[in-house]
Amino acid sequence: MCVMTGFGGGVGMFGDSCGALVGAMAALGTVYGRRQIPADPKASKEEMGGNPGLYRLFNRLPNEFKQRYGNTQCRMLTAQWRKSNWLCKDHALYCRNLVMDMAALAAEMSVPKDLARWGSQEFGEHVAGMK
């Protein structure tokens, strides 16, 4: 819990990546993340970008989030509460629902550990131009 404390408000109230998304990514990392530095760079490249590959798996989360909610940025998702009533009950419930939804998705992707399914899907939006 202490590691996740700063994720709220788009990471430390900065308003960028939604803390629910970042938290779900951290949860997936505890299941699928690297435990040591790879000895072979070629094998590492295949593990990360191959098919199945870890980046394909991790890429599913922000793309699914954006599909469901239209944006991944806290400041956009919570715009209606920014200027008037940030600490209101409606805002808290909205964010709680985001957290619960992303926790459920991370759990679905993790248990049972299913890299073959999630790590073999096509990349969604991403910066590397990989297919």
Side-chain angles (χ1 to χ4, degrees):
M1 210 167 118
C2 64
V3 172
M4 309 293 196
T5 301
F7 290 179
V11 183
M13 299 294 284
F14 185 68
D16 211 2
S17 295
C18 174
L21 172 58
V22 176
M25 191 68 71
L28 273 185
T30 64
V31 175
Y32 293 105
R34 293 178 172 175
R35 302 289 188 257
Q36 60 191 23
I37 296 172
D40 179 4
K42 186 176 181 181
S44 173
K45 183 178 178 184
E46 184 62 28
E47 173 193 27
M48 298 306 287
N51 191 352
L54 292 177
Y55 279 157
R56 290 177 187 277
L57 168 103
F58 288 121
N59 179 263
R60 295 296 346 130
L61 267 177
N63 278 282
E64 182 64 29
F65 189 98
K66 188 173 183 180
Q67 181 180 339
R68 292 179 186 192
Y69 300 106
N71 208 301
T72 60
Q73 287 190 320
C74 174
R75 67 175 57 94
M76 301 302 291
L77 296 164
T78 60
Q80 65 187 21
W81 297 290
R82 265 191 299 153
K83 299 204 186 230
S84 61
N85 200 2
W86 183 260
L87 298 176
C88 72
K89 184 178 179 179
D90 287 340
H91 176 220
L93 290 174
Y94 176 78
C95 290
R96 183 186 71 181
N97 288 336
L98 291 177
V99 170
M100 291 177 7
D101 191 32
M102 287 299 98
L105 180 58
E108 180 184 336
M109 294 172 80
S110 301
V111 182
K113 192 173 179 181
D114 197 1
L115 179 61
R117 174 180 170 209
W118 292 99
S120 296
Q121 295 183 23
E122 288 187 24
F123 276 106
E125 182 180 332
H126 67 289
V127 297
M130 298 171 73
K131 298 189 187 252

